Amino acid sequence: MEDKKMSEQESLELISQVIRDSRKSVAYKAGSFSLIWGYITVIVSLLVYTGFALTGYHEVAWLWFLIPVGGCLAMWRLGLSQKSLKRTYFDRVINQVWMVLGLVGWGLSVACVLLPGTFSILFLISLIMSMGVTLTGCIASYKTYIGFGITGILLSFLCLVVKGEEQILIFAAIFVIMMIIPGHLLNRDVPREQVLNEKKQYV
């Protein structure tokens, strides 16, 4: 009986350890994900703002579509570099969450082009992406990520208050706060080498 009890305890400890390590892997991947989409969004936002300021042409708004193009290409390259990282249940859940949010964001962007002036696209996109960051933090049990995500949700409402081209700068600042900063913090706290070493224990 005593041996069986010890065996059960060891099994539970092993399961708990695997879950903790899986969450570290998710945190590392989420950090890279945030940096890719955060930097691309900020760079394109500044390009659009500068284009409006210099030319005044509304056709500059087409530059926004550089975000999904650049982001998808960067994510493809990231996927190649992370082949050594095993996919976990948490990875699948987070991927599905972001897939749904991404499709909603894409649909809203297309609707904004077809129906200009109907709604504030920058408010909705920043709100949706901040919700994604918050949910990712909840799944990975990373409180800092949750905090920055909630901050992004609150700041997104500034896009309803600020009007004109300055709204683009607010939008860019929100992505710095809710994606770029937590992305760097995640990669600092969960280095790639640590994730790889822990993964090898269960292969």
Side-chain angles (χ1 to χ4, degrees), residues 49 82 95 111:
Y49 177 81
Q82 292 188 347
N95 286 341

Side-chain angles (χ1 to χ4, degrees), residues 49-77:
Y49 177 81
T50 303
F52 276 133
L54 294 178
T55 68
Y57 296 146
H58 289 286
E59 288 76 10
V60 174
W62 286 101
L63 289 173
W64 286 116
F65 288 98
L66 289 175
I67 294 176
V69 173
C72 289
L73 288 174
M75 290 298 292
W76 174 71
R77 289 186 60 85

Side-chain angles (χ1 to χ4, degrees), residues 37-107:
W37 290 101
Y39 275 114
I40 288 176
T41 301
V42 170
I43 291 171
V44 173
S45 297
L46 295 178
L47 283 175
V48 173
Y49 177 81
T50 303
F52 276 133
L54 294 178
T55 68
Y57 296 146
H58 289 286
E59 288 76 10
V60 174
W62 286 101
L63 289 173
W64 286 116
F65 288 98
L66 289 175
I67 294 176
V69 173
C72 289
L73 288 174
M75 290 298 292
W76 174 71
R77 289 186 60 85
L78 178 66
L80 293 179
S81 67
Q82 292 188 347
K83 278 186 176 180
S84 56
L85 297 180
K86 200 172 181 180
R87 285 175 60 86
T88 66
Y89 171 76
F90 295 111
D91 291 321
R92 290 191 291 271
V93 171
I94 290 178
N95 286 341
Q96 289 168 359
V97 167
W98 280 103
M99 184 179 296
V100 171
L101 295 178
L103 289 174
V104 171
W106 174 258

Side-chain angles (χ1 to χ4, degrees), residues 107-171:
L108 288 171
S109 300
V110 173
C112 183
V113 172
L114 298 177
L115 303 169
T118 306
F119 50 84
S120 174
I121 185 63
L122 297 185
F123 160 68
L124 291 176
I125 294 299
S126 58
L127 176 63
I128 292 171
M129 296 301 104
S130 296
M131 291 170 60
V133 171
T134 305
L135 290 172
T136 301
C138 291
I139 295 170
S141 296
Y142 195 78
K143 293 181 180 179
T144 303
Y145 219 54
I146 297 172
F148 279 102
I150 293 174
T151 301
I153 291 174
L154 298 175
L155 291 177
S156 65
F157 287 90
L158 288 176
C159 292
L160 296 176
V161 178
V162 178
K163 303 298 181 181
E165 297 166 6
E166 285 69 27
Q167 188 180 115
I168 301 174
L169 297 179
I170 297 296
F171 179 76

